[in-house]
Each structure stands twice: as structure tokens, then as C-alpha cells.
Amino acid sequence: MRLDKEGEPATTAGLLARFGTTRPWLDDELTFLDDVDGREAAEQSGSVRLYPEGLSTDEPVETDGGPFMVVVNGDLVTSDHVRFCTDDYIPGLIVVTGDLRAKTLFFESGARVIVEGSARIAQACFGRWGDENAMLDVQGELETPVLVLDGQTPAFAHRGVRTVTSNSLGWWDGMKPDILLDQRKDYFRQDLLNSDGGLNWDLAYAAAQEGSPLLRPGAEESFPQRLEARPAVSGY
């Protein structure tokens, strides 16, 4: 299902009035929608949506193109995958006031994802192209077997991450990734790697969607720290 087209029609002003008094950061986030007249374009295209009682589905949950602003008031739960993306440099904002639970989570390009509860992702979480403002900010815990980021995309969790982390540039908000760029060939499955030893994102994402592990047998157990809630906190 298309998160930015279903639910109830709304306006950015209405959502700000309803939620902004208890979320002072929301007004700042709306500035991203003002890029390329994003706020007006989102409203004209019907891509400002509200899910007043949360969302539970067995379908994949996706966005496309943008700009958009979506508020899920409650939990967002799917037994399938979640993919939040926009076209190049087009802004999009997704706010989940409860928990997010899904098989996989992929966020990229201009999609800024804020989860006020915790995020529990069964297979893997991916984030890339953060130079276009993609971001994941979880107020609770982020728990997933593997978190794969490129070197430009932040993922934060105020109560900590429980995962094996991999980052393309070897740094991540003050936390050294568990798997550095030149170590991916040692821990990820061989069939998910490019000829140069780098991770093939498309193959890795397809494997996660199929329910297959990304790491080689026994590799996950090499990182006992994955069981602890390690802090990764943004400015919110």
C-alpha cells in the first residue's frame, strides 16, 4: 500500500496544529517540505495524510516520488516490508507516534522517518543517500539483526540500538561500526557481495525481503554487543 496516498486527507497546517504543541521539532521538520515548494506541492497532490488510529496491514508499506507528509498516530505494523523513498532531492516526512514493526525497513533519498516509540525490524534495516536528507530517528530502541548504512545516512535511537552495524565510511555518530567497509567480505554472505568485496545493496535487500540472513553462518554471534542497547542519539 502507498502510505502517502491512503489514510485520511490532511493539511500540513492541520497536522502541525494537532501534533506540534507536544512536538516542537515538527515545525523544523516541515522546513524540509518547503524545499522546492514541497509543502504546497504535497497538499496539491493529496500527499499529506493522517492515520488517526495507527496502521496494521499484511501488505508492503511504501512511499514514492514525493513530496509528502504522513503522520501515523499510533503503531505502524506490517508483516511485510517498509520502504520510504522520494525522487532525487525531493523532501518527504513520515512520523509514527507509536512503534514501527516490519519485516524489513529501507529509507533513502529525501525520506525523513521519525518513530516516537521503538522500531523492531525482523530481517534488516537499510539507509542510503542521506546527502539528500534521508534519516531515521527512533525515540525508543532500534532492534534488527543488521543495520546497513552508507556513509551519508544517519540512523539514531535514543534508547539504543540492538543490532550489528555496518557503515560504508567506518564511522557512525560517534559509534564505531561493528563491520567496517573492508570487513564486509568477511561477514556478509559471499553471494551478496560485488566482485570488489563491497555489499550489493539490491541483492542484500532482496535477500532480507525473502527472509534470508545477510550474514554468514556464525557471523552474528561474533558481535555479542548486538544484544545490548548501545546509544546513538540525535539532537531531537
Side-chain angles (χ1 to χ4, degrees):
M1 63 171 292
R2 283 281 302 278
L3 192 71
D4 52 330
K5 291 300 182 185
E6 301 185 39
E8 294 184 0
T11 65
T12 54
L15 292 177
L16 186 61
R18 179 169 177 172
F19 297 98
T21 56
T22 56
R23 298 161 177 86
W25 47 263
L26 187 55
D27 188 52
D28 293 335
E29 283 297 326
L30 285 177
T31 62
F32 285 93
L33 285 177
D34 287 329
D35 293 345
V36 298
D37 299 320
R39 191 185 304 207
E40 180 179 356
E43 293 181 348
Q44 289 180 349
S45 66
S47 297
V48 182
R49 315 298 289 186
L50 171 64
Y51 294 78
E53 298 180 356
L55 173 63
S56 181
T57 180
D58 292 325
E59 299 179 29
V61 177
E62 302 174 325
T63 61
D64 191 29
F68 53 77
M69 177 181 178
V70 179
V71 174
V72 178
N73 188 33
D75 295 340
L76 192 167
V77 180
T78 177
S79 58
D80 211 301
H81 71 266
V82 172
R83 185 162 188 154
F84 295 139
C85 63
T86 69
D87 290 339
D88 290 349
Y89 297 98
I90 301 298
L93 175 63
I94 302 101
V95 178
V96 178
T97 67
D99 293 338
L100 191 160
R101 299 194 296 276
K103 185 176 182 179
T104 65
L105 172 61
F106 204 128
F107 63 101
E108 61 186 353
S109 298
R112 298 176 68 81
V113 185
I114 296 174
V115 179
E116 295 192 328
S118 294
R120 312 290 183 189
I121 311 302
Q123 290 297 130
C125 180
F126 302 83
R128 65 178 178 180
W129 300 333
D131 56 327
E132 300 179 18
N133 289 321
M135 177 198 72
L136 173 64
D137 195 303
V138 179
Q139 305 292 303
E141 285 188 355
L142 170 58
E143 183 176 6
T144 187
V146 186
L147 173 63
V148 182
L149 303 172
D150 67 12
Q152 301 164 315
T153 308
F156 305 111
H158 289 238
R159 294 184 181 175
V161 295
R162 296 179 185 267
T163 184
V164 177
T165 63
S166 177
N167 180 291
S168 294
L169 291 187
W171 58 268
W172 178 52
D173 196 47
M175 180 192 298
K176 182 179 178 181
D178 299 315
I179 301 176
L180 301 178
L181 180 61
D182 60 357
Q183 297 174 324
R184 289 186 171 184
K185 63 183 182 300
D186 300 322
Y187 293 104
F188 283 95
R189 284 168 36 196
Q190 185 68 34
D191 59 314
L192 303 182
L193 302 177
N194 296 317
S195 58
D196 62 358
L199 185 67
N200 185 304
W201 285 69
D202 292 337
L203 293 178
Y205 185 47
Q209 288 180 294
E210 293 168 359
S212 300
L214 302 188
L215 300 181
R216 296 183 177 191
E220 190 172 352
E221 289 73 22
S222 302
F223 303 98
Q225 65 269 31
R226 76 190 190 285
L227 302 175
E228 304 171 0
R230 294 175 285 166
V233 181
S234 77
Y236 286 142

